[in-house]
Amino acid sequence: MQIARTIAELRQVMGAYRRAAFVPTMGNLHEGHLALVAQAKPLGDATVASIFVNRLQFLPHEDFDSYPRTWDSDCAKLEAAGCDVLFAPTEKGLYPQPQTYKVHPPGELADILEGHFRPGFFVGVSTVVMKLFACVQPRFAVFGKKDYQQLMIIQGMVRQFELPIDIIASETRRAPDGLALSSRNGYLSAAQRQEAVQLSTTLKHMAEQVRAGEAIAGVETKAMDSLRARGWQPDYLTVRRRSDLQAPASGDELVVLAAAKLGTTRLIDNLEF
């Protein structure tokens, strides 16, 4: 596996390839990330991953400084997974000047759900992904469905800017008990880890209730109350239509999305149905 630390090094390495498949990450890799790499491998003539903890998508009170950096372990995992190129720039390397040019996704998608509780988050995500795309110039890029709203925003960005990149949506990887794999699961205590599965369980129950004809507003309220009673601090548990994450109408394909804190750890999940 070749490691490029600067944009110049990356461009020299990428000169040998024409159809790279790209997996952007913030490091602290787990099996979910490695599944994205495995999905990317057959797509192009090189599999490229990036590790960059992007300050632009962290709010002032969030965990940028304490976000786990596990460089040696990450490199070993990527090499074992068959990654060909790792792009790991420093913050000064990717943003040599303050990044005053930014990508602002449309508010009707970016300012709801995650964007409501984390203002500016999707500006930071869209900007760094656009910059990484400019550096790597991939033909394919693989993103997980666990970050459902993020995936939709990246898909829309690629469409509207006519970027020559196919965005591949990868199914959420889960632990055997159903918990969605996430770097932040590592923050959970043993007792919290046992409780955490209730988030995915609640999503399944919500989907079943809506399928059975129960009113969506009532289903959402019961789910929020149920998690609060178990000690969670939910931001949202909501049923939306898949096409634009707005309130559903009859006949829409649906997704239920959730974000909730367990202790100090904020978990997100979703389920299409």
Side-chain angles (χ1 to χ4, degrees):
M1 181 175 72
Q2 294 177 276
I3 299 176
R5 289 288 201 166
T6 68
I7 296 172
E9 287 174 2
L10 176 71
R11 287 179 172 159
Q12 184 172 15
V13 170
M14 296 308 298
Y17 305 109
R18 291 293 176 267
R19 290 172 57 82
F22 178 43
V23 179
T25 85
M26 292 206 302
N28 192 27
L29 303 182
H30 52 68
E31 289 302 318
H33 295 110
L34 301 181
L36 301 183
V37 174
Q39 191 164 347
K41 272 200 71 65
L43 297 176
D45 59 0
T47 304
V48 183
S50 64
I51 293 176
F52 181 71
V53 183
N54 177 42
R55 187 186 298 271
L56 294 184
Q57 69 194 67
F58 287 78
L59 299 182
H61 66 279
E62 291 183 332
D63 57 347
F64 175 81
D65 290 325
S66 62
Y67 192 87
R69 275 77 165 174
T70 52
W71 172 255
D72 291 339
S73 171
D74 290 346
C75 287
K77 288 175 180 176
L78 287 172
E79 190 153 24
C83 183
D84 299 302
V85 179
L86 170 60
F87 179 41
T90 63
E91 191 168 19
K92 188 69 174 173
L94 195 64
Y95 300 131
Q97 302 169 343
Q99 190 68 34
T100 53
Y101 286 79
K102 295 180 180 178
V103 179
H104 288 258
E108 61 267 23
L109 181 58
D111 294 344
I112 62 173
L113 304 174
E114 285 298 285
H116 173 75
F117 288 95
R118 304 178 71 189
F121 173 70
F122 287 118
V123 173
V125 168
S126 300
T127 300
V128 75
V129 171
M130 179 68 90
K131 191 149 195 180
L132 289 170
F133 282 171
C135 295
V136 177
Q137 299 186 27
R139 180 63 185 81
F140 307 92
V142 184
F143 289 82
K145 280 189 177 182
K146 186 180 79 70
D147 297 291
Y148 201 89
Q149 190 175 4
Q150 172 181 284
L151 171 62
M152 291 186 69
I153 286 170
I154 298 303
Q155 288 170 326
M157 182 181 78
V158 166
R159 263 195 319 272
Q160 288 214 353
F161 283 103
E162 295 289 351
L163 301 180
I165 303 169
D166 286 350
I167 301 298
I168 309 301
S170 183
E171 296 297 329
T172 301
R173 266 55 180 191
R174 298 183 179 277
D177 63 359
L179 178 67
L181 299 185
S182 169
S183 297
R184 287 189 167 91
N185 293 349
Y187 296 155
L188 299 170
S189 69
Q192 288 171 336
R193 172 60 188 83
Q194 283 191 311
E195 172 63 24
V197 71
Q198 286 299 321
L199 192 60
S200 61
T201 300
T202 299
L203 295 184
K204 291 176 187 174
H205 288 163
M206 291 176 71
E208 290 166 359
Q209 289 164 349
V210 173
R211 281 197 207 102
E214 294 192 37
I216 287 174
V219 168
E220 292 172 344
T221 298
K222 284 191 296 184
M224 295 278 281
D225 290 345
S226 174
L227 281 188
R228 285 195 189 101
R230 300 182 68 96
W232 292 71
Q233 302 165 320
D235 285 340
Y236 58 85
L237 288 97
T238 186
V239 178
R240 300 295 174 99
R241 63 186 178 206
R242 295 187 207 174
S243 60
D244 58 7
L245 299 186
Q246 299 301 309
S250 178
D252 287 336
E253 292 188 310
L254 303 179
V255 58
V256 55
L257 306 108
K261 277 187 179 178
L262 185 56
T264 60
T265 304
R266 188 173 185 272
L267 303 178
I268 65 171
D269 202 352
N270 65 79
L271 178 66
E272 295 177 325
F273 68 102

